Amino acid sequence: MSLSQEKIYTSEDYWNLPEGIRAELINGHIYNMAPPSRIHQKIMVELCTIINNHIKSKKGTCQVYPAPFAVNLDANDKDWVEPDISVICDPNKLTDRGCSGAPDWIIEIISPSDPGRDLIYKLNLYAKAGVREYWIVDPRNKNILVYYLEQQDFGVQAYSFQDKIKVNIYDDFWIDFQNLDL
């Protein structure tokens, strides 16, 4: 009796998903994504606006992309993610399909349905791929974990929605969560 083998999905499978299906391809496995909540979207819009305004005010070259936006982290055939917010500073990584390679900064706004994916799987995936900074925003508990992945034993800091947080990939950029219109 032979054992059935688990199917490993590829980029082709990911790009051939039915229209309107949101999913991620992580280590060859497809994970469906639930629609985001209203507060999730509100936080995403607020942060994208602040980030984009900062980049424009400094005449920076980085670009901010909210989900849905496909990111092929290590330009291989088994990892396509859709971070809630991706900041990409190397324009050569941008393609018609999204981003090929690691963004400089990723923000995920966790949902109560599957926090482990953002807290464990994606943290390791992002660190391995070369993401420089990773923020995990938790609307339910009103806190933010900031991972500085450029450090050898990447550092992490915990903040609340009452804090002003330094964006490490910039010298002069802070986000004051108290000032967000939530």
Side-chain angles (χ1 to χ4, degrees):
M1 179 168 135
S2 68
L3 297 174
S4 64
Q5 291 187 331
E6 183 178 354
K7 178 166 173 53
I8 300 298
Y9 294 93
T10 66
S11 294
E12 183 179 351
D13 298 310
Y14 174 79
W15 286 105
N16 286 318
L17 289 171
E19 183 81 24
I21 298 292
R22 286 198 57 218
E24 294 180 308
L25 177 65
I26 300 174
N27 292 323
H29 300 280
I30 291 188
Y31 296 91
N32 289 318
M33 299 170 66
S37 68
R38 183 198 59 79
I39 190 66
H40 177 285
Q41 293 301 92
K42 181 73 173 162
I43 292 169
M44 188 170 73
V45 167
E46 287 284 316
L47 290 174
C48 281
T49 300
I50 291 167
I51 295 165
N52 199 46
N53 287 342
H54 176 80
I55 292 169
K56 283 183 171 186
S57 75
K58 300 295 182 177
K59 298 187 182 354
T61 59
C62 298
Q63 295 181 43
V64 59
Y65 291 93
F69 180 74
V71 174
N72 185 214
L73 282 169
D74 47 11
N76 73 17
D77 200 38
K78 63 179 185 161
D79 291 312
W80 284 89
V81 293
E82 287 190 18
D84 291 313
I85 301 172
S86 300
V87 177
I88 297 114
C89 299
D90 180 354
N92 293 321
K93 290 182 180 180
L94 297 171
T95 71
D96 287 341
R97 285 200 158 165
C99 179
S100 182
D104 294 86
W105 179 22
I106 288 177
I107 300 173
E108 293 281 9
I109 303 160
I110 62 174
S111 66
S113 64
D114 193 7
R117 192 175 316 152
D118 293 329
L119 293 166
I120 299 166
Y121 293 119
K122 287 186 180 177
L123 169 61
N124 291 315
L125 196 63
Y126 294 162
K128 184 177 159 190
V131 173
R132 296 168 58 198
E133 189 163 346
Y134 176 41
W135 290 23
I136 302 173
V137 179
D138 182 350
R140 177 187 268 167
N141 295 309
K142 295 185 176 359
N143 64 33
I144 305 101
L145 293 174
V146 176
Y147 291 89
Y148 305 108
L149 302 177
E150 289 182 298
Q151 299 172 3
Q152 187 172 5
D153 57 346
F154 51 84
V156 62
Q157 292 288 322
Y159 298 95
S160 78
F161 277 24
Q162 303 301 309
D163 292 322
K164 187 174 184 179
I165 304 172
K166 169 82 170 76
V167 178
N168 241 33
I169 67 165
Y170 293 100
D171 293 330
D172 60 349
F173 187 21
W174 296 78
I175 295 179
D176 190 344
F177 269 74
Q178 269 191 318
N179 289 339
L180 297 183
D181 184 22
L182 303 177

